[in-house]
Amino acid sequence: RQLDICAKAKDAAEIVTACTAALSADTLLASNRPTVLFNRAVGHTRSRAYDLAIADLDKAIAAAPERAAYYSQRGHAYYAKSQYDLAAADYTRAIERGAKSANDFSNRGNAYFDLGDFAKAMPDYDAALDLAPDNAVVRAYRGSTLLRLGRADDAIPDLSFMIEKGGDKVLPADYGNRAIALTEVGRQSEAAADFAKV
C-alpha cells in the first residue's frame, strides 16, 4: 500500500511519508529502491525541500544511472535553487539518455537563459517549438532570447504570440520586452502602447 501511495499521491507530505515507509520496509526489493527514492524526491521538490530531493536523486542515479527522468528531476531541484549551471548539466544528461519532449528542451533552454548564455538557449527553444509550436511560454522565452541576441525583428512575432495567446500567463515583462523590440525597429507608437500596458 505504501508503494502505491508513494507512486500515485499528489500531496507532497503524503508522498514523502509513504515513500519513507516503503524505503524502511524489509520487503522492498533492491530493484525498486531507485524508483521509490525518485518518487520521494518528487515529494521533496513539491514541498521545496530541494536539498533533500537532490540527496535522494543522487542515490537513485548511483543505482540506476541510465534513467533520464532522474536527471530531469534533479535538474528541477537545482533550477529551483538558482544553480542554473548544475540544472543545465542534468537536463543535458537527461536528453542524452532519451528525454526528448518539448519540456526537456525548454527546461535546458531556461537554465541557459538564466545563465545569460542566450546562444545556447536558442537551439533548445527551437527544438521545443518544433515539438510544441503553440507553447506560448516557450515562444515568450525565445522572443526574449532573440531580443538579447540583437534580433529584435525576429523577437516581435514570438512576443506577440505570447501576448495574444498566453492568457493568464502573460506578464508585464512580455509587454516590456515587446516594447523594447518595437523601439529598436523604429515602431515607437506601438512601443508606447506596450510601455503603457506595463
Side-chain angles (χ1 to χ4, degrees), residues 4-5 25 46 53 70 72 75 94 100 109 117 121 124 126 134 138 140 149 169 181 191 197:
D4 197 49
I5 296 170
R46 288 181 185 173
Y70 297 178
S72 291
K100 302 291 184 187
D117 195 338
D124 279 340
D126 287 340
D134 294 330
V138 178
L149 289 170
K169 294 180 180 176
K197 286 277 191 183

Side-chain angles (χ1 to χ4, degrees), residues 22-87:
L23 286 165
S24 62
D26 293 337
T27 54
L28 181 66
L29 298 175
S31 59
N32 289 336
R33 188 173 180 80
T35 301
V36 177
L37 286 163
F38 168 79
N39 289 334
R40 188 169 70 172
V42 171
H44 284 316
T45 302
R46 288 181 185 173
S47 62
R48 300 183 181 182
Y50 303 120
D51 289 333
L52 293 175
I54 290 165
D56 276 349
L57 290 160
D58 287 346
K59 293 173 189 171
I61 288 168
E66 75 285 355
R67 295 187 187 172
Y70 297 178
Y71 297 94
S72 291
Q73 190 64 37
R74 193 171 66 178
H76 299 337
Y78 281 131
Y79 188 89
K81 284 167 59 72
S82 301
Q83 294 180 281
Y84 304 123
D85 53 342
L86 296 176

